[in-house]
Amino acid sequence: MINKIEHIGIAVNSVEQANEIYIQLLGVKPYKQEEVASEMVVTSFFKTGDSKIELLEAKSPESAISKFIEKRGEGLHHIAFEVSDIVAEMENLKQLGFTLLSDKPKRGADNKLICFVHPKSANGVLVELCQEIKEE
Ligand code: CMX
C-alpha cells in the first residue's frame, strides 16, 4: 500500500547553485546533503511543511541524472511514494504489470530502501518506492 508522496526529486546541474534558489523559494535551508555512491549522485533535501524536495546532481556521466539532463534538461525527475513494506509493494506492482528497475530494493538517500518503476509504465513519470530503514 502507498502511504503518501514522500518527496519529489529534481535534477539539477549543481546542487550548490540550486540550493541557493531553493533556500530563497522555500525560506528554509536544506536539512541534509548526502552523496549516494551507488546512484552516482549528490543530493540535497529540503522540508517544507510535511513535504520534501530532493535536489539531485550527477557525480558521473554514467549517472541516470547526467543522462536525464542531457536529454531533457534540468527539472522534475521523479516522484517518490512512501510504502510500509517495499518488498510486498514491488511484488504487487510486478503482478499488475509495472516494469520495476531492480529485482530487490536498494539502499538510497535519506536512510531509505528504494526501488524505481520505469517511466514508460507510469505515463512518463519515474516513480520511486521508498521505505524508511529502521535500525534495530
Ligand atoms: N522521467 C520521465 N521519463 C524519463 C526519465 C525520468 N526521470 N528518465 C528517462 N526517461 C525517459 C527518456 O526520456 C526516454 O523516453 P523516450 O524513449 O520517449 O525518449 C525513456 O525514458 C528512456 O528509457 P530507457 O532507454 O529505458 O532508459 P534510459 O537509459 O534513458 O534510463 C531510466 C531511464 C528511468 C531507466 C533510468 O534513468 C533509471 O534507471 N532510473 C532509476 C535510477 C535513478 O534515476 N537514479 C537517480 C536518482 C537516485 C536517487 O533518488 O537517489
Side-chain angles (χ1 to χ4, degrees), residues 24-43:
Q24 287 182 340
L25 183 68
L26 302 173
V28 288
K29 291 191 171 156
Y31 69 90
K32 184 185 267 194
Q33 191 147 317
E34 187 181 347
E35 187 155 347
V36 186
S38 58
E39 297 289 337
M40 297 171 276
V41 293
V42 60
T43 65

Side-chain angles (χ1 to χ4, degrees), residues 7 9 11 36 38-43 45 54-56 63-68 71-72 75-80 101 106-110 114-120 122-128:
H7 66 266
V36 186
S38 58
E39 297 289 337
M40 297 171 276
V41 293
V42 60
T43 65
F45 282 90
E54 177 187 27
L55 304 179
L56 299 131
S63 162
I65 298 299
S66 289
K67 292 180 187 159
F68 177 88
K71 225 173 178 179
R72 304 161 71 115
L76 193 61
H77 181 257
H78 65 263
I79 297 185
L101 292 171
K106 297 192 282 186
R107 203 176 174 122
D110 206 25
I114 62 168
C115 173
F116 287 93
V117 177
H118 199 287
K120 296 275 180 203
N123 302 84
V125 174
L126 177 63
V127 168
E128 177 184 335

Side-chain angles (χ1 to χ4, degrees), residues 30-133:
Y31 69 90
K32 184 185 267 194
Q33 191 147 317
E34 187 181 347
E35 187 155 347
V36 186
S38 58
E39 297 289 337
M40 297 171 276
V41 293
V42 60
T43 65
S44 174
F45 282 90
F46 288 80
K47 221 178 256 170
T48 171
D50 288 337
S51 306
K52 289 185 197 165
I53 300 288
E54 177 187 27
L55 304 179
L56 299 131
E57 173 190 332
K59 280 285 133 197
S60 152
E62 295 310 307
S63 162
I65 298 299
S66 289
K67 292 180 187 159
F68 177 88
I69 290 182
E70 209 173 281
K71 225 173 178 179
R72 304 161 71 115
E74 291 183 298
L76 193 61
H77 181 257
H78 65 263
I79 297 185
F81 293 103
E82 182 195 272
V83 296
S84 313
D85 182 344
I86 192 165
V87 173
E89 194 52 38
M90 286 170 69
E91 189 51 40
N92 176 41
L93 293 184
K94 209 154 77 179
Q95 294 295 331
L96 290 169
F98 288 90
T99 305
L100 304 184
L101 292 171
S102 63
D103 293 335
K104 289 184 183 158
K106 297 192 282 186
R107 203 176 174 122
D110 206 25
N111 197 38
K112 302 276 192 302
L113 287 175
I114 62 168
C115 173
F116 287 93
V117 177
H118 199 287
K120 296 275 180 203
S121 288
N123 302 84
V125 174
L126 177 63
V127 168
E128 177 184 335
L129 303 177
C130 61
Q131 179 187 337
E132 179 100 23
I133 299 171

